[in-house]
Amino acid sequence: MFTTLVAVIVALVLGHLVPAAIGAIRNYHWYGDWVRWLDARTGVAAVWRGRYGAALAVLPVVALVALLQWALHGRLFGLPALCFGVLVLVLCWGPRDLDRDVEAVIDADDATARRAAVAHLQAAGGSVHADVASLAEATLFNAMRRWFAPMFWFLLLGPLGAVLYRLLALVAEGPFAALLPTDSRRGAGTALALLEWPVAQLMVLSMALAGNFDTVFTAWRTAEGGRWALSSGFLGAVGKASVGAELRAEADEYRQVGMVPADLPLPELRDAMSLIWRMLLLWLVVLALLIIAGWVS
């Protein structure tokens, strides 16, 4: 848990201080080369083109990370394992910085810049429409894929968990999905949905605690978030409802004191990003409390 807390803080700080350098480090072209190499090998064609073919692309890298994780465990008072964990989560975070992408959409001053900023914001998935409500939904969905899912699986499994999630995201719906055969890509998509479902549920709980509980619960129930189905589609519906409720509450507060709400561009995106920051802070506070409880006991 301590490693997770330190790694998340380092990932956030580096993403703001040296975004260009971090973006260059989070370059997965080597993984694309590996997937292309596998696709070119006719000897494994039957397995590669089957439902579990993506395992050939993902598991060797995950096994190598697991081996390093095991080899470093307990050595030199845990310092090598801490450094390795921080490095892995920093690499699996993102790959683009979410709040910078949101700011770029808000600050875009012409149609061309806005289209480019929207494309970057939607890079990790979610709604592909450019209306404000869809962008707010994409912001929540990208928060899951860029921040919360790698953090969750890192917390549960260590570095191998973060690597497993990131590589699956790359081949299931990321830039290398087109390199996989159809059945293999569908299998990867199912595995990715399995990893994302608990993260989306925890994000909804965090949203309820950091925002309007009644609004979040009603939207979650309406979007059938309680069904045992491998789908995180309810996350976008809950996010839009929560953002809308917060904007209405803010407008009511202004009216009660006789003020006019500030006329800021894209307030939905601003509020969605504010909500995500509060959710992330909540996760970090819970981690810190668990760490302190462990030290005290």
Side-chain angles (χ1 to χ4, degrees):
M1 291 182 184
F2 179 73
T3 303
T4 305
L5 184 61
V6 173
V8 169
I9 294 173
V10 171
L12 289 171
V13 170
L14 290 179
H16 281 78
L17 293 181
V18 284
I22 292 299
I25 292 174
R26 293 171 182 160
N27 188 327
Y28 301 111
H29 289 321
W30 61 269
Y31 189 62
D33 293 338
W34 162 244
V35 176
R36 292 185 188 92
W37 184 87
L38 281 175
D39 190 46
R41 303 276 77 78
T42 57
V44 295
V47 178
W48 176 242
R49 300 185 184 284
R51 183 170 179 80
Y52 304 104
L56 295 176
V58 174
L59 292 184
V61 182
V62 173
L64 177 60
V65 173
L67 180 62
L68 290 172
Q69 182 177 329
W70 173 79
L72 296 175
H73 179 71
R75 296 184 181 274
L76 296 176
F77 307 102
L79 183 59
L82 173 64
C83 294
F84 179 65
V86 170
L87 175 63
V88 168
L89 190 56
V90 167
L91 293 176
C92 293
W93 199 258
R96 295 184 58 85
D97 192 78
L98 178 61
D99 57 325
R100 284 181 174 271
D101 282 350
V102 170
E103 290 175 3
V105 174
I106 295 173
D107 297 337
D109 52 7
D110 59 71
T112 302
R114 180 180 170 83
R115 282 195 297 270
V118 167
H120 287 152
L121 177 60
Q122 298 170 332
S127 175
V128 296
H129 300 292
D131 59 282
V132 176
S134 297
L135 290 179
E137 176 185 348
T139 302
L140 268 296
F141 194 85
N142 273 259
M144 176 180 69
R145 287 204 168 159
R146 299 191 196 194
W147 290 3
F148 291 97
M151 178 181 174
F152 176 80
W153 289 107
F154 183 92
L155 178 62
L156 286 189
L157 302 176
L160 75 90
V163 171
L164 173 63
Y165 176 79
R166 180 53 62 212
L167 297 186
L168 265 177
L170 288 172
V171 296
E173 297 187 20
F176 307 130
L179 301 178
L180 267 65
T182 302
D183 289 341
S184 180
R185 185 167 60 251
R186 288 174 181 168
T190 301
L192 182 66
L194 180 64
L195 294 185
E196 289 180 344
W197 187 84
V199 181
Q201 296 288 0
L202 285 176
M203 287 180 67
V204 169
L205 177 60
S206 304
M207 220 179 298
L209 296 175
N212 188 303
F213 190 95
D214 290 338
T215 299
V216 169
F217 178 73
T218 301
W220 174 78
R221 186 174 55 186
T222 303
E224 299 183 333
R227 291 191 305 118
W228 290 100
L230 292 181
S231 172
S232 301
F234 58 87
L235 181 62
V238 173
K240 287 190 290 188
S242 182
V243 167
E246 292 199 0
L247 289 176
R248 289 192 297 271
E250 182 180 338
D252 289 340
E253 291 177 2
Y254 274 101
R255 282 194 294 269
Q256 288 174 6
V257 297
M259 297 176 61
V260 178
D263 187 17
L264 298 174
L266 299 177
E268 293 85 356
L269 275 187
R270 295 178 186 273
D271 195 80
M273 197 64 231
S274 174
L275 179 62
I276 290 167
W277 277 118
R278 298 200 304 273
M279 291 161 57
L280 181 62
L281 179 61
L282 179 62
W283 282 42
L284 295 181
V285 168
V286 171
L287 273 180
L289 291 176
L290 292 174
I291 293 168
I292 293 171
W295 285 346
V296 171
S297 62

